[in-house]
Amino acid sequence: MSRSERLFRLLQALRQLPQPVTAARLATETEVSERTLYRDIDSLRAGGALIDGAPGYGYTLTEDPALPPQMFDRLEVEALVLGLSDVQQRGDRDLANAASAALAKISASLPERVQRQVLHATHMAIRTHADPATLPDMSVIRAALWGEEELEVDYVDAAGRATTRRVYPLVIAYVESKIGLLGWCCLRQDYRHFLLPRINGLRRSGASFRPGRAALLRDYAKQRETRYPAPTDATT
């Protein structure tokens, strides 16, 4: 094993193992003697890693040189925490877990002072939303969105009428307390919002509408601007 590979392996062990990590455990993970390990710790420190600890006490990776510190001010930290906490509140289980993991990764790249601001942020998102158990399989919708594939949607409208639609999925939209799928309905030949709890079944048809998604979204945005123009200041 080359020295650079050994140092990379040591850095990975410091990231992943419960901290503080003893020198003996790190030596085992990197397959070197403890004497060599101490030299490698010094090399990582010289390269910019902030590693707290000493022989007999264990080691903690405080700042990772491979994750450059992000320059967020206090209000940007608040916005970041609020946005991701809102996703944790409103998203389905997979999306909520992804938001939690993203916040942890971003926090790990921050200087220690800013990490404390993340832990003690003064903003919090508290929302009511549909029980994730009532939502359709979100992984199917996301795969169709990313792949620009048509969906077959079994839908029940507000009047209780059941239909099956062919839909070009465009975005998953979070509007107030509701979660819906915005798509181009091939039956109605128009844009429709399908509330997710009213979807009883869905399937990827395999038909592609690539590269139509971007154009459909632009057209939808223009329609919204026409129907709901931005307010202007009153003049006297």
Side-chain angles (χ1 to χ4, degrees), residues 25 74 78 163 198 231:
R25 177 70 186 278
R74 187 186 298 273
E78 295 284 358
T163 58
R198 293 184 183 169

Side-chain angles (χ1 to χ4, degrees), residues 1-12 30-32 35-48:
M1 183 188 306
S2 69
R3 181 172 177 272
S4 60
E5 290 174 328
R6 192 175 73 239
L7 292 177
F8 177 78
R9 193 167 177 177
L10 174 57
L11 195 55
Q12 283 290 90
T30 54
E31 300 177 355
V32 298
R35 184 174 180 179
T36 299
L37 175 78
Y38 296 140
R39 290 200 297 268
D40 289 346
I41 290 283
D42 289 339
S43 295
L44 288 179
R45 284 170 168 165

Side-chain angles (χ1 to χ4, degrees), residues 7-22:
L7 292 177
F8 177 78
R9 193 167 177 177
L10 174 57
L11 195 55
Q12 283 290 90
L14 285 165
R15 289 172 183 150
Q16 295 173 355
L17 294 175
Q19 299 183 1
V21 195
T22 64

Side-chain angles (χ1 to χ4, degrees), residues 48-103:
L50 184 54
I51 302 172
D52 291 337
Y57 295 96
Y59 294 93
T60 298
L61 179 63
T62 304
E63 289 189 19
D64 190 335
L67 297 173
Q70 305 295 324
M71 301 310 294
F72 295 127
D73 62 28
R74 187 186 298 273
L75 195 58
E76 289 171 339
V77 168
E78 295 284 358
L80 179 68
V81 173
L82 180 62
L84 287 173
S85 66
D86 195 29
V87 175
Q88 289 173 305
Q89 292 283 323
R90 302 194 66 188
D92 60 277
R93 188 170 291 106
D94 289 342
L95 193 61
N97 289 341
S100 178
L103 184 59

Side-chain angles (χ1 to χ4, degrees), residues 9-214:
R9 193 167 177 177
L10 174 57
L11 195 55
Q12 283 290 90
L14 285 165
R15 289 172 183 150
Q16 295 173 355
L17 294 175
Q19 299 183 1
V21 195
T22 64
R25 177 70 186 278
L26 290 170
T28 299
E29 291 289 327
T30 54
E31 300 177 355
V32 298
S33 67
E34 290 191 25
R35 184 174 180 179
T36 299
L37 175 78
Y38 296 140
R39 290 200 297 268
D40 289 346
I41 290 283
D42 289 339
S43 295
L44 288 179
R45 284 170 168 165
L50 184 54
I51 302 172
D52 291 337
Y57 295 96
Y59 294 93
T60 298
L61 179 63
T62 304
E63 289 189 19
D64 190 335
L67 297 173
Q70 305 295 324
M71 301 310 294
F72 295 127
D73 62 28
R74 187 186 298 273
L75 195 58
E76 289 171 339
V77 168
E78 295 284 358
L80 179 68
V81 173
L82 180 62
L84 287 173
S85 66
D86 195 29
V87 175
Q88 289 173 305
Q89 292 283 323
R90 302 194 66 188
D92 60 277
R93 188 170 291 106
D94 289 342
L95 193 61
N97 289 341
S100 178
L103 184 59
K105 288 179 180 178
I106 294 170
S107 181
S109 74
L110 299 173
E112 187 175 359
R113 172 185 58 82
V114 187
Q115 287 183 21
R116 289 195 295 270
Q117 293 175 7
V118 171
L119 290 174
H120 301 288
T122 61
H123 292 64
M124 177 185 296
I126 301 176
R127 290 182 179 271
T128 58
H129 56 81
D131 183 344
T134 69
L135 299 179
D137 188 341
M138 301 297 287
S139 65
V140 173
I141 297 177
R142 280 192 281 266
L145 284 163
W146 292 328
E148 296 187 46
E149 290 183 21
E150 177 188 87
L151 282 173
E152 292 180 355
V153 176
D154 301 327
Y155 192 70
V156 179
D157 65 18
R161 293 183 294 264
T163 58
T164 296
R165 314 282 189 94
R166 290 187 301 111
V167 176
Y168 297 164
L170 301 179
V171 293
I172 298 169
Y174 294 77
V175 182
E176 297 177 352
S177 62
K178 296 181 173 123
I179 308 174
L181 172 65
L182 169 65
W184 174 263
C185 178
C186 297
L187 176 65
R188 303 300 184 197
Q189 287 294 293
D190 200 359
Y191 299 99
R192 289 290 187 269
H193 286 88
F194 300 93
L195 295 179
L196 295 190
R198 293 184 183 169
I199 294 178
N200 289 335
L202 52 85
R203 298 158 298 281
R204 293 165 65 185
S205 73
S208 173
F209 64 101
R210 189 186 298 274
R213 180 170 175 262

